Amino acid sequence: MKLFRNLLSTAVIGCTTSAYAADLEVTHWWTSGGEAAAVSEFAKAFNENTQHNWVDGAIAGSGGTARPIIISRIIGGEPMGATQLNHGRQAEELVEAGLMLDLTDIAEAEGWRDLVNPVRLLDACTLDGRIYCVPVNIHSPQWLWLSHDAFAKAGVDVPADWFEFVAAAPALEAAGIVPLAMGQQSWQTNLAFGAIMVAVGGTDLYLDILTNKNADAASSAEMTKVFEAFDQARKLSVGSNVNDWNQATNLVITGKAGGQIHGDWAQGEFQVAKQVAGEDYTCLPGLGVNDIIATGGDAFYFPLNEDDEVTAAQKELASLLISKEVQVAFNLKKGSLPIRGDVDLEAANDCMKKGLKILADGNVLPDGVNSFSADTQNQLDTLMTEFWNDQSITVADIQGQYTKIIATAD
């Protein structure tokens, strides 16, 4: 870790190490057990390898709760030193308003474009040729997490894909087990919808809607099959009365639910519970239907401020977040994939190795957060949650509303 001191002193452009430590408030929404363990690796590296001090600004309630608070503070003139956001379009208006620190000098000096894999993650941090954020991980949402204990109690084999999971659901229900765990936050249901869309509708349909905003594809018969599968999923989740995503993951960990459609960050919760991939639980990328993942994730932005010492600390943290050692330490605990393709992940568990192979094979898709504006994304989140929680809404109803949103998406 001492190597960081030398790297930071030469890599950070336009500043020298301050003789006075700066307190750098860092806001994020990583508050579950696995998330807290992961973000502590960032704080530890920053405190040990700079003269500055990480002031933790965790905001409970996940991104849907945290983002409005973060954005309000920046717009209101009370910026934090650094903040987590999803790389993509969430900070687009803040960047356009000139409220974010330009990191292009550091990125060019350290060769970020040659390090970040896939490079689209860095492109998502770029506006008008300038780089404004540091991608720190690759999170993929298309995973099905399965409890071995639940299926053993139900007397059926652990499914190999989504279709086998649906077929096994009656046996789970007969054993008093909720087939599908699902929290009540809107982004969770929309995440599940996207995963089902890729598995049931296929990648061509997914890409046509996300990249081309094709309303005809949204209203197609192929898309009807996706909504029918989504309808099956909501029926399988009846009785899953939890709110937060990690509470839903805990239902799988404890064998109270058969499975959960969720992102790879669920791995952090299984690790905290000391469960072993392949022994206590199974993970199926692409819901087991196809070996493919979407590459979204988290990034750190640095709001502009008027304190030179804080600016120096911001640049040192930016450089540190993308360094090899920190990338490994953080992502092993987070359950996500590193954004660098040149790191040693021998300690990765079976699930992470599946993701790494898919990434190496190039079987990746863009994530919705990089395709839609915040307004469009909010509309989709709201629609999926209304459908999930109101059994009177039909497949035809939701497909019609979905098509209207895609037709006007930006």
Side-chain angles (χ1 to χ4, degrees):
M1 296 292 285
K2 290 182 179 179
L3 177 61
F4 287 141
R5 299 185 190 277
N6 295 329
L7 290 174
L8 289 169
S9 64
T10 57
V12 176
I13 304 300
C15 69
T16 58
T17 303
S18 172
Y20 303 97
D23 286 331
L24 194 71
E25 182 192 5
V26 184
T27 53
H28 60 87
W29 56 82
W30 289 325
T31 57
S32 75
E35 291 174 326
V39 75
S40 69
E41 293 294 334
F42 283 159
K44 177 183 176 183
F46 185 67
N47 288 338
E48 289 183 352
N49 295 282
T50 76
Q51 295 181 338
H52 309 294
N53 179 48
W54 174 294
V55 178
D56 200 73
I59 302 172
S62 74
T65 299
R67 278 189 296 270
I69 297 172
I70 291 166
I71 292 170
S72 177
R73 281 189 53 185
I74 296 170
I75 294 174
E78 298 180 359
M80 60 295 295
T83 187
Q84 171 202 6
L85 288 170
N86 299 119
H87 44 65
R89 301 183 64 183
Q90 290 175 359
E92 188 173 75
E93 293 181 0
L94 297 174
V95 172
E96 290 174 342
L99 297 175
M100 291 297 187
L101 181 66
D102 187 335
L103 303 174
T104 308
D105 52 356
I106 303 172
E108 291 180 348
E110 297 184 353
W112 288 6
R113 181 155 289 276
D114 296 325
L115 299 176
V116 177
N117 177 42
V119 74
R120 72 161 66 101
L121 298 178
L122 190 61
D123 291 339
C125 288
T126 305
L127 187 67
D128 297 330
R130 310 299 293 178
I131 296 170
Y132 292 93
C133 68
V134 185
V136 296
N137 59 15
I138 300 170
H139 267 320
S140 49
Q142 290 92 3
W143 294 75
L144 180 59
W145 305 89
L146 301 170
S147 165
H148 287 196
D149 185 48
F151 286 95
K153 289 178 181 176
V156 292
D157 292 337
V158 176
D161 59 35
W162 170 252
F163 303 107
E164 289 187 10
F165 175 77
V166 173
L172 291 169
E173 292 172 328
I177 298 169
V178 175
L180 186 65
M182 178 63 70
Q184 299 303 305
Q185 294 156 323
S186 60
W187 64 271
Q188 295 183 59
T189 46
N190 198 26
L191 178 152
F193 174 74
I196 290 172
M197 184 177 174
V198 174
V200 175
T203 57
D204 289 343
L205 180 64
Y206 177 89
L207 288 170
D208 198 12
I209 291 176
L210 261 69
T211 60
N212 300 327
K213 315 295 192 295
N214 189 338
D216 289 336
S219 64
S220 67
E222 290 79 8
M223 199 63 192
T224 300
K225 295 177 183 178
V226 173
F227 282 108
E228 288 172 345
F230 194 51
D231 180 41
Q232 281 183 315
R234 69 171 173 171
K235 291 173 181 174
L236 295 180
S237 74
V238 173
S240 175
N241 300 317
V242 295
N243 186 63
D244 295 337
W245 70 267
N246 52 303
Q247 293 174 322
T249 305
N250 188 61
L251 293 178
V252 180
I253 291 172
T254 57
K256 296 176 182 177
Q260 179 188 22
I261 299 173
H262 208 67
D264 54 6
W265 53 93
Q267 288 187 81
E269 302 305 299
F270 286 101
Q271 289 177 166
V272 169
K274 301 189 183 304
Q275 293 209 336
V276 178
E279 296 180 12
D280 302 304
Y281 66 97
T282 286
C283 54
L284 300 176
L287 307 193
V289 178
N290 43 37
D291 284 339
I292 200 158
I293 58 176
T295 52
D298 301 290
F300 276 83
Y301 289 79
F302 302 85
L304 285 177
N305 72 96
E306 297 179 354
D307 187 325
D308 290 342
E309 292 180 5
V310 170
T311 301
Q314 289 175 319
K315 292 186 175 184
E316 290 188 52
L317 178 58
S319 181
L320 194 62
L321 291 173
I322 205 168
S323 62
K324 281 187 179 182
E325 292 87 345
V326 175
Q327 276 287 298
V328 171
F330 170 76
N331 284 293
L332 284 177
K333 290 190 175 179
K334 189 67 166 65
S336 48
L337 303 181
I339 54 87
R340 295 180 64 128
D342 60 348
V343 295
D344 180 7
L345 283 173
E346 282 299 314
N349 68 16
D350 288 347
C351 293
M352 185 178 285
K353 287 178 179 177
K354 287 182 181 181
L356 288 168
K357 184 178 186 305
I358 292 171
L359 184 63
D361 291 342
N363 296 329
V364 296
L365 296 169
D367 191 84
V369 73
N370 296 327
S371 302
F372 297 123
S373 68
D375 179 62
T376 297
Q377 193 65 50
N378 287 336
Q379 291 181 59
L380 292 171
D381 286 350
T382 299
L383 177 64
M384 297 309 162
T385 303
E386 288 176 350
F387 176 75
W388 195 272
N389 293 327
D390 186 351
Q391 298 285 335
S392 70
I393 301 175
T394 66
V395 166
D397 289 339
I398 188 176
Q399 187 169 7
Q401 294 178 61
Y402 179 80
T403 300
K404 289 179 182 178
I405 294 173
I406 296 302
T408 59
D410 57 359

